């Protein structure tokens, strides 16, 4: 055992190469994102306030969605909505598998480590990458099925959103774990505001159905930026150590 200024550093031989364990200070910093003991002192109050925030956020999102639909209905043609809706049918089906149920494990597990959440993060990214490739590969099939070649670039464009959203799953799961629903509300409403602004602006400039695609991409991108800004947790590289949580 070796004592350094940054904390206690233990050396273990892994394949003949010494391995430095994380310092106590670093481990404590990571555990700040996982601990839930502080919620037990006023669990009822946290539950009530979280419910109120969630309901308010859903109401705000409903109003934003209704307002954007009304405005875009005046700026776009019905065929613009139809083109995007054709691809969204397939995209929404694949979106069901994006989470892979791994966020529930992060939220409900009583004790969880930095290595475990990091591994779950990379699994989510991998699943999202596979979904991106599947949707992109299906672009010619979708276009052929509907008999409209314009669906190919639409499908390719929407496939990118899977990879972006997959990078926020574990961060948002950690926020839910600590019942930080105000932060989640800010992320959801804030990203939707950005998406509505982009959609209306592009539609007003005459971009047609691309305004709907720009809205989808901007929502996911804003969600990524806001999530990583609010949640200071950062994943480490994948490791087999302490990776199993099931």
């Amino acid at each position: 055992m070796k004592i350094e200024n940054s904390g206690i550093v233990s050396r273990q031989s892994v394949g003949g190469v010494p391995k430095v364990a994380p310092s106590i200070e670093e481990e404590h910093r990571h555990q700040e994102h996982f601990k839930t003991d502080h919620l037990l002192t006023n669990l009822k109050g946290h539950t009530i306030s979280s419910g109120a925030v969630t309901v308010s956020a859903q109401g705000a999102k409903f109003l934003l969605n209704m307002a954007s639909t009304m405005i875009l209905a005046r700026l776009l043609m019905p065929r613009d909505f139809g083109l995007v809706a054709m691809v969204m049918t397939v995209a929404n089906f694949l979106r069901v598998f994006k989470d892979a149920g791994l966020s529930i494990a992060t939220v409900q597990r009583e004790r969880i480590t930095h290595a475990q959440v990091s591994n779950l993060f990379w699994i989510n990214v991998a699943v999202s990458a596979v979904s991106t490739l599947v949707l992109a590969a299906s672009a010619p099939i979708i276009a052929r099925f509907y008999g409209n070649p314009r669906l190919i670039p639409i499908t390719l464009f929407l496939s990118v959103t899977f990879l972006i959203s997959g990078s926020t799953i574990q961060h948002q799961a950690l926020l839910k774990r600590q019942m930080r629903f105000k932060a989640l509300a800010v992320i959801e409403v804030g990203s939707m505001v950005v998406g509505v602004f982009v959609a209306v602006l592009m539609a007003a400039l005459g971009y047609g159905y691309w305004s709907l695609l720009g809205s989808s991409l901007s929502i996911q991108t804003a969600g990524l930026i806001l999530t990583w800004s609010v949640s200071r947790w950062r994943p480490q590289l994948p490791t087999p150590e302490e990776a199993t949580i099931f």
Side-chain angles (χ1 to χ4, degrees):
M1 177 109 19
K2 179 182 178 181
I3 308 296
E4 293 187 356
N5 293 333
S6 59
I8 300 178
V9 180
S10 62
R11 297 187 178 273
Q12 300 173 340
S13 178
V14 180
V17 179
K19 185 178 184 302
V20 181
S23 66
I24 294 178
E25 186 176 318
E26 184 179 359
E27 282 296 325
H28 177 72
R29 178 171 54 85
H30 289 315
Q31 287 303 316
E32 289 293 322
H33 302 289
F34 311 138
K35 66 180 183 179
T36 57
D37 297 340
H38 63 287
L39 300 174
L40 299 177
T41 56
N42 187 20
L43 185 59
K44 182 179 179 180
H46 284 295
T47 303
I48 295 175
S49 62
S50 298
V53 169
T54 302
V55 171
S56 300
Q58 292 300 320
K61 290 170 62 178
F62 173 78
L63 293 176
L64 283 170
N65 184 62
M66 183 174 64
S68 64
T69 302
M70 293 173 62
I71 296 173
L72 293 176
R74 295 293 303 272
L75 298 174
L76 301 178
M77 301 294 292
R79 64 173 177 269
D80 295 327
F81 292 95
L83 285 171
V84 177
M86 292 176 187
V87 180
M88 288 302 296
T89 302
V90 180
N92 289 335
F93 173 75
L94 291 175
R95 208 175 297 278
V96 175
F97 304 98
K98 179 191 68 174
D99 183 278
L102 300 180
S103 63
I104 298 177
T106 302
V107 174
Q108 296 183 349
R109 182 79 174 183
E110 182 178 356
R111 298 294 178 187
I112 197 166
T113 66
H114 178 57
Q116 290 171 341
V117 181
S118 296
N119 281 6
L120 293 179
F121 169 84
W122 292 112
I123 292 174
N124 280 131
V125 170
V127 171
S128 299
V130 171
S131 298
T132 296
L133 294 176
V134 170
L135 185 59
S138 65
I141 301 175
I142 296 174
R144 184 178 181 84
F145 178 80
Y146 288 107
N148 194 327
R150 286 183 295 179
L151 296 179
I152 293 180
I154 293 176
T155 305
L156 294 176
F157 193 90
L158 284 177
S159 66
V160 179
T161 61
F162 281 86
L163 191 58
I164 298 175
S165 62
S167 303
T168 65
I169 294 175
Q170 288 303 315
H171 292 78
Q172 294 187 8
L174 290 174
L175 294 176
K176 292 178 182 177
R177 177 183 176 86
Q178 295 190 323
M179 300 185 71
R180 297 178 59 186
F181 290 100
K182 290 182 181 179
L184 288 169
V186 170
I187 293 171
E188 293 179 1
V189 177
S191 59
M192 192 168 184
V193 168
V194 174
V196 170
F197 175 78
V198 171
V200 172
L201 178 61
M202 292 182 66
L205 294 176
Y207 282 93
Y209 61 83
W210 283 105
S211 60
L212 300 175
L213 301 176
S215 174
S216 180
L217 180 61
S218 60
I219 287 175
Q220 299 299 336
T221 303
L224 174 65
I225 295 173
L226 289 173
T227 300
W228 280 62
S229 299
V230 172
S231 175
R232 296 298 181 177
W233 176 77
R234 298 294 180 264
Q236 65 181 30
L237 293 176
T239 172
E241 294 187 37
E242 301 180 2
T244 304
I245 66 173
F246 300 104

